Amino acid sequence: MAIALGLTLFLLLLASLFVGVIDISWAALGSDPEALQLMAISRAPRTIAVVISGGALAVSGAIMQMLVRNRFVEPMTAGTGQGAALGILLVTLYAPAASILVKMVLASVTALASGAGFLAIVHRLPPTQPLMVALVGLIYGGIIGACVTFVAYQADLLQYVEIWMNGEFSGVLQGRYELLWVVALVAGLCYLAADQFAIVGMGRTASINLGLNYTQTMILGLLAISVVTALTVVTVGMIPFVGLVVPSIVARLSGDNLRHSLPLTAMSGAALVLASDIVGRLVRYPYEIPVGTVFGVIGAVLFLWLLYAPKRHAS
Amino acid sequence: MIVVTDLSHDRDGVATLKNINLSIERGGVTALIGPNGAGKSTLLSLMSRLLPIQRGTIMVDDLQIGRCPNDVLARKLAILPQSNDTAPLLTVRELVSFGRYPYHKGRPDQRDREKVEEAIVALGLQPLAERRLDSLSGGQRQRAQVAMTFAQDTDYVLLDEPLNNLDIAASRSLMAVLQELARNHDRTIVIVLHDINYAAAYADRIVAMKDGQIVASGSPDEVLTETLLWTVFETNPKVHRIGAKVMVQV
């Protein structure tokens, strides 16, 4: 599975580099300096941005699903994403001249706060009703999202906020996506704690039994989720469903042992978002459809197929 | 040896444990019995550090519960998670491997892998090793959980009503496994049981509780008398003795 995924991802990467309004041929890269420049300024950054956000969002979804022990949640829709947008909005309102660093830190802080709020609510829900967690997540995210819209409306910033509420990659250029390397780093660091997150996913008793510091791991996970979500929102905007669909699909196929499944989750997330982005560039050529819209369609079809496909029990 | 001294516990202002003093010797199977609400599960949860201790002390050999670091205790005492937890999407081998986490903290070596194999063989799980837990029966899943605590290689194993939802074959086989662990692998098993006959058949010692207090403790032969069952459970079944074995007629 890993090899097939890697190959698919590689082919998509190549496709992403050569799909766009301006035609670039492989040969031109060697001879035409303009083609090379276009590659360096636009195509390569965009492709890198898509791969990092897709992979990292899928990883953050997988971790959140372990922390709340529920397959129907993801940070982007359960408040963390909206929290990040709220942070960006507040910076814009009260410190419009603030640097991108300030924006990033504040977005992470508000994302963390709303993520912690969600965990606190989930903690009080009856564990016997998993769908309740999903519904509460949607409502909770919806409320924070509504606050963002309201404040933006009052301040006449609706159009500005839209940029962050609907993520897409057409604005990615060299010099405007580099924050995402931090996202990649954080997602990579999560892999070092893969066993810890997997144990947390087995429940409190199992965690205590194995001598894991339950609270510390929860906080660590929440921190990672918040940073990944906030920085993605700051650079490309909110991309919903990646963190929901991808980890669920991967878990069904290859299980909950994150040490084994987290790399697959990251690769699947990157490949699916990249495919969505390429399709989004081609459907209304030369115009673009936001990646989130395309992903919604592809993700929903995949998810349905998985739900109704015959169950496989083998590892 | 587990030594409980002057242990009391309140929940919502109601005393669930009243000044418990108890020693559980090393080796063998010790069963906690008593009616619903007697405090068996609370006592076991306190021993397994799932609840914070309010008053009194619990010592497991030289380690004090509540003072000793969590990860040190994890190499001394294992808890079998309640079986009604939803099964994680893991294979039997993956689950058993997590039993080694207290030792390797995420970086298993050759010795950890050997211990995992040993646990799988000891519980006869070789044919199921690559199967997912959600594809197993309740009894098989429970056996996989026991294999995990076996791999955890602790002197003490605590189980809270592990026979819930198991049929007679699975229950008998699980109890036999626990008995075997105690006899041949030098583990000390403490188990909360609802069915007195399983306690009578497989436990080496029985501790009977009522209203947050210990009413009797000793061998099944000593503890299970008609008078005691009346005192503890307020019901009067006949107790039959067949040789050294005790049977409670339900």
Side-chain angles (χ1 to χ4, degrees):
Chain A
M1 186 168 164
I3 296 168
L5 251 176
L7 200 67
T8 317
L9 189 55
F10 179 70
L11 292 176
L12 285 169
L13 273 173
L14 282 183
S16 170
L17 289 176
F18 291 98
V19 168
V21 176
I22 299 169
D23 237 346
I24 306 180
S25 69
W26 188 254
L29 279 183
S31 55
D32 185 357
E34 255 181 57
L36 206 61
Q37 211 182 5
L38 181 73
M39 217 27 125
I41 292 175
S42 165
R43 296 282 169 82
R46 177 172 190 158
T47 305
I48 293 169
V50 175
V51 167
I52 293 179
S53 353
L57 289 179
V59 167
S60 75
I63 290 170
M64 182 175 243
Q65 292 180 0
M66 283 290 153
L67 297 189
V68 303
R69 305 190 68 202
N70 191 303
R71 293 235 170 275
F72 306 103
V73 293
E74 63 141 346
M76 239 0 135
T77 48
T80 315
Q82 289 82 355
L86 189 64
I88 298 170
L89 184 64
L90 291 179
V91 176
T92 316
L93 274 179
Y94 295 105
S99 68
I100 186 84
L101 190 77
V102 174
K103 216 176 246 180
M104 162 186 134
V105 169
L106 204 92
S108 301
V109 170
T110 48
L112 185 67
S114 49
F118 179 58
L119 281 194
I121 295 174
V122 167
H123 203 66
R124 281 159 220 272
L125 292 177
T128 45
Q129 300 192 8
L131 284 175
M132 194 117 129
V133 176
L135 291 177
V136 166
L138 278 178
I139 295 168
Y140 181 74
I143 292 174
I144 300 179
C147 292
V148 174
T149 312
F150 178 75
V151 176
Y153 175 75
Q154 291 289 322
D156 212 4
L157 282 173
L158 262 187
Q159 276 189 320
Y160 181 77
V161 157
E162 279 298 297
I163 299 172
W164 283 296
M165 298 296 250
N166 300 314
E168 45 117 17
F169 293 96
S170 62
V172 173
L173 289 175
Q174 189 184 35
R176 282 172 52 183
Y177 80 102
E178 281 75 3
L179 264 185
L180 287 177
W181 286 110
V182 180
V183 171
L185 181 74
V186 172
L189 285 177
C190 284
Y191 185 64
L192 294 180
D195 272 12
Q196 279 87 331
F197 292 130
I199 292 172
V200 161
M202 289 157 75
R204 180 170 172 269
T205 307
S207 305
I208 292 177
N209 172 41
L210 294 176
L212 181 77
N213 192 329
Y214 187 68
T215 320
Q216 190 188 311
T217 310
M218 289 291 262
I219 292 171
L220 206 74
L222 193 60
L223 209 64
I225 292 170
S226 307
V227 170
V228 167
T229 310
L231 297 201
T232 311
V233 175
V234 167
T235 25
V236 295
M238 286 171 58
I239 305 169
F241 304 126
V242 180
L244 181 72
V245 176
V246 177
S248 300
I249 293 177
V250 174
R252 274 181 92 95
L253 296 176
S254 69
D256 276 340
N257 187 6
L258 292 189
R259 181 203 293 282
H260 166 69
S261 70
L262 217 46
L264 298 177
T265 308
M267 284 204 281
S268 312
L272 271 174
V273 177
L274 198 50
S276 307
D277 188 54
I278 294 171
V279 171
R281 275 183 258 172
L282 290 174
V283 170
R284 280 180 68 211
Y285 187 85
Y287 304 104
E288 290 200 12
I289 296 175
V291 66
T293 313
V294 181
F295 186 88
V297 176
I298 298 182
V301 171
L302 262 177
F303 205 59
L304 282 177
W305 167 73
L306 208 79
L307 280 178
Y308 290 103
K311 220 173 175 184
R312 295 201 313 194
H313 279 307
S315 56
Chain B
M1 187 156 119
I2 301 180
V3 181
V4 178
T5 317
D6 297 331
L7 187 74
S8 298
H9 197 83
D10 298 342
R11 186 175 290 166
D12 303 325
V14 180
T16 47
L17 290 179
K18 299 167 193 160
N19 206 31
I20 302 263
N21 284 287
L22 174 71
S23 336
I24 296 171
E25 298 286 335
R26 278 209 57 165
V29 177
T30 302
L32 299 177
I33 63 164
N36 295 327
K40 314 173 295 276
S41 289
T42 309
L43 179 57
L44 201 81
S45 297
L46 289 168
M47 283 180 189
S48 42
R49 71 197 182 284
L50 294 175
L51 288 175
I53 292 177
Q54 296 170 344
R55 287 182 303 284
T57 54
I58 301 175
M59 300 289 296
V60 178
D61 294 340
D62 52 348
L63 307 176
Q64 183 177 351
I65 307 278
R67 291 269 171 81
C68 170
N70 206 3
D71 57 330
V72 176
L73 262 174
R75 295 190 286 260
K76 181 60 126 182
L77 174 148
I79 319 157
L80 197 82
Q82 287 257 345
S83 57
N84 54 9
D85 273 6
T86 44
L89 297 177
L90 297 174
T91 64
V92 170
R93 177 170 278 112
E94 286 172 334
L95 179 81
V96 177
S97 304
F98 277 112
R100 297 302 297 170
Y101 178 81
Y103 300 88
H104 64 62
K105 302 284 170 64
R107 279 154 207 79
D109 61 16
Q110 191 53 38
R111 186 176 156 68
D112 293 312
R113 279 184 279 273
E114 281 166 18
K115 283 278 181 187
V116 170
E117 285 321 302
E118 201 185 310
I120 288 172
V121 172
L123 284 139
L125 287 167
Q126 301 96 312
L128 302 176
E130 306 307 328
R131 288 266 298 273
R132 280 249 198 106
L133 293 175
D134 55 343
S135 73
L136 302 182
S137 72
Q140 292 168 327
R141 212 179 291 164
Q142 200 64 294
R143 193 176 266 263
Q145 297 276 12
V146 174
M148 175 176 158
T149 57
F150 186 91
Q152 204 175 333
D153 212 2
T154 56
D155 293 337
Y156 299 87
V157 181
L158 311 186
L159 305 95
D160 195 356
E161 295 180 19
L163 305 185
N164 279 357
N165 309 322
L166 295 192
D167 62 26
I168 178 167
S171 300
R172 292 189 65 218
S173 117
L174 182 66
M175 291 308 295
V177 162
L178 294 175
Q179 202 171 41
E180 203 261 341
L181 283 183
R183 300 228 165 112
N184 302 335
H185 295 275
D186 196 27
R187 309 291 167 96
T188 307
I189 313 273
V190 182
I191 180 169
V192 172
L193 285 176
H194 255 306
D195 190 325
I196 302 172
N197 275 321
Y198 281 102
Y202 294 98
D204 301 300
R205 280 181 306 268
I206 290 184
V207 175
M209 294 182 69
K210 190 192 183 186
D211 293 336
Q213 287 171 317
I214 288 169
V215 182
S217 81
S219 68
D221 191 37
E222 291 160 9
V223 173
L224 295 178
T225 61
E226 283 171 11
T227 345
L228 181 108
L229 289 177
W230 175 250
T231 324
V232 173
F233 291 96
E234 293 172 25
T235 176
N236 48 0
K238 274 214 163 348
V239 175
H240 299 285
R241 282 163 206 281
I242 306 157
K245 283 284 169 199
V246 190
M247 245 186 75
V248 179
Q249 184 184 339
V250 292

